[in-house]
Amino acid sequence: MAINWSLYKNFQQSEYSCNCGCGAAHVSEDLVAKIQELRDLCGFALPITSGVRCKIWNEMNHGHPSSAHLEGLGVDLGVDRSRARIVLQKALDMDCFEGIGISQHTKNGRFLHLDLKPRAGGQKAFWSYS
């Protein structure tokens, strides 16, 4: 079933599409709904720096071989230093994300990874990128 993008006032399908230009855009509507809810709670823009990834783009960007991005279940949000804590706290308060990764600084700036990919044993995952 196709996503009704008019339900998500702050996001468009193109923002979730693979950054390599291949056209992969098979994002989970549940993820889109949760990111919209997070955006509403934060009250400010949440730029998507990486959404769906094709296998080639994931490998080129050193993504994990079983990355949630490959399944349309993960997203990286560009967060600046002053708002990163707010976004992280709101995401934790929502208690719906299965994986949360925090980057300190990359060539593309800081980002917060959020995903809905189920983990073995039902455990949630929390990590930082170094």
Side-chain angles (χ1 to χ4, degrees):
M1 181 186 307
I3 295 176
N4 180 354
W5 287 96
S6 66
L7 297 175
Y8 307 105
K9 61 186 176 197
N10 299 108
F11 298 100
Q12 298 176 1
Q13 183 175 6
S14 60
E15 294 176 88
Y16 285 92
S17 298
C18 185
N19 287 337
C20 80
C22 70
H26 54 276
V27 65
S28 157
E29 186 163 8
D30 194 26
L31 178 64
V32 176
K34 297 298 183 193
I35 297 302
Q36 180 64 59
E37 181 180 349
L38 178 62
R39 195 311 188 179
D40 292 342
L41 290 170
C42 289
F44 50 79
L46 298 176
I48 296 173
T49 60
S50 184
V52 173
R53 292 184 193 156
C54 68
K55 185 177 179 185
I56 294 169
W57 189 249
N58 191 59
E59 289 171 1
M60 288 177 62
N61 286 275
H62 310 288
H64 192 277
S66 64
S67 171
H69 292 274
L70 293 167
E71 300 173 45
L73 295 173
V75 65
D76 294 342
L77 303 174
V79 292
D80 65 25
R81 177 174 233 133
S82 64
R83 292 184 169 173
R85 185 195 60 78
I86 296 167
V87 178
L88 176 59
Q89 186 61 59
K90 299 288 186 191
L92 289 167
D93 290 346
M94 288 175 67
D95 195 31
C96 63
F97 297 105
E98 299 296 325
I100 298 178
I102 302 170
S103 83
Q104 295 296 321
H105 191 347
T106 67
K107 64 180 180 177
N108 298 321
R110 291 175 169 80
F111 69 89
L112 179 67
H113 168 91
L114 301 171
D115 73 56
L116 299 178
K117 184 176 180 174
R119 285 355 190 242
Q123 296 294 312
K124 294 185 182 231
F126 191 79
W127 66 91
S128 68
Y129 298 90
S130 50

